[in-house]
Amino acid sequence: MKKKKVLFVCLGNICRSPSAEAVLKKLIKDEGLQDTIEVDSSGTIDYHEGESSDLRMQTHAAKRGYVLDHIARKFNSEKDFIESDYIITMDNANYADVISLNAKKEFRNKIFKMSQFSGNINFNEVPDPYYKGAEGFEEVLDILEDFCKVLLEKIKDDIESENKN
Ligand code: 4NP
């Protein structure tokens, strides 16, 4: 079976989406699903293209055992809609931006808000930590650790139902 591809999307691709990528990759590794699910991330703007993740985000993530080794890139509407199975946006603005890039709506069912996967923590968005202090970065990680567990269960369910058909 072809690998499922998850693509997280935020604004700059240096804080939230590379963290989501690292958190989900860790869960996938813990369950031995590396050959089944792959994960990438991107941003809706190219301002930080080619950069490593924000150092504040890297530091907070490292304290929880996550290595943020992603290099920022912009969402590529020529390629990413076709190649991804789950395009998961961090906040409502990222969602609106990705939706607007798919004017014909043929990929509509691949586009999600991260808040659709909330488990124990209730947030409508993964808030942008860029202009916040340490607690903003910790909050992002708390939310992502919770939501990624629910997301992984959904992906596993989808794979299971596809395998039945
Ligand atoms: P991210 O955070 O979208 O989670 O990567 C931000 C990164 C950069 C900027 C804003 C948010 N910026 O304004 O450059």
Side-chain angles (χ1 to χ4, degrees):
M1 204 189 71
K2 201 172 138 283
K3 268 186 170 183
K4 290 287 175 205
K5 182 162 183 183
V6 179
L7 179 66
F8 290 112
V9 185
C10 62
L11 179 66
N13 192 214
I14 54 169
C15 296
R16 293 165 291 173
S17 62
S19 299
E21 178 184 336
V23 171
L24 185 61
K25 276 182 174 165
K26 166 79 165 52
L27 294 174
I28 287 169
K29 190 168 172 227
D30 289 349
E31 298 206 21
L33 293 170
Q34 302 97 312
D35 294 335
T36 312
I37 307 166
E38 63 181 271
V39 192
D40 190 10
S41 65
S42 67
T44 57
I45 59 170
D46 64 4
Y47 190 71
H48 296 280
E49 196 142 50
E51 292 178 18
S52 299
S53 295
D54 185 289
L55 275 178
R56 300 164 296 171
M57 194 76 251
Q58 285 194 48
T59 304
H60 286 277
K63 283 197 280 176
R64 302 188 190 204
Y66 304 110
V67 178
L68 301 193
D69 55 4
H70 181 78
I71 300 297
R73 71 167 179 94
K74 189 176 181 228
F75 182 85
N76 180 339
S77 51
E78 305 284 307
K79 185 165 124 344
D80 289 326
F81 282 124
I82 295 166
E83 292 183 0
S84 312
D85 298 292
Y86 301 88
I87 298 167
I88 304 182
T89 59
M90 294 292 129
D91 66 26
N92 293 337
N94 311 145
Y95 180 79
D97 287 342
V98 173
I99 287 283
S100 73
L101 290 171
N102 179 217
K104 287 196 205 143
K105 298 191 167 80
E106 71 271 47
F107 303 113
R108 179 65 193 78
N109 62 351
K110 293 184 176 186
I111 309 169
F112 300 88
K113 292 182 182 181
M114 193 59 180
S115 58
Q116 290 175 242
F117 308 106
S118 76
N120 296 320
I121 298 184
N122 226 335
F123 266 87
N124 294 329
E125 305 185 276
V126 184
D128 183 348
Y130 197 69
Y131 294 105
K132 295 185 182 166
E135 54 314 322
F137 291 92
E138 289 296 322
E139 184 175 67
V140 164
L141 291 164
D142 288 340
I143 296 170
L144 292 176
E145 286 183 332
D146 183 67
F147 291 14
C148 279
K149 282 186 204 148
V150 178
L151 170 61
L152 183 55
E153 289 308 309
K154 183 214 165 21
I155 298 170
K156 283 160 58 183
D157 285 350
D158 289 350
I159 292 170
E160 200 180 305
S161 33
E162 270 177 38
N163 286 344
K164 275 192 202 140
N165 296 325

